[in-house]
Amino acid sequence: MKLLRRTFITSAALAPVACGVPLAYQRGTPVAQLVPAPQVRAPQAGQEWT
């Protein structure tokens, strides 16, 4: 029982510290922008995508 209580108190004390640490974001490699998708006409009345 004492071990469970001690663990809970320790984790409760460390929770604000863990939430306050800033995350280390990875730096990515920039890539060229993709060519825009070709224009597709809208379906006419009664047509469906298959």
Side-chain angles (χ1 to χ4, degrees):
M1 183 69 175
K2 287 190 176 191
L3 178 62
L4 180 62
R5 183 176 176 173
R6 193 174 292 173
T7 305
F8 175 74
I9 292 172
T10 304
S11 62
L14 293 177
V17 174
C19 294
V21 175
L23 298 175
Y25 293 103
Q26 296 180 355
R27 303 224 181 252
T29 305
V31 295
Q33 188 174 5
L34 299 175
V35 178
Q39 295 294 324
V40 179
R41 69 169 178 82
Q44 294 178 352
Q47 285 187 325
E48 296 179 357
W49 289 101
T50 57

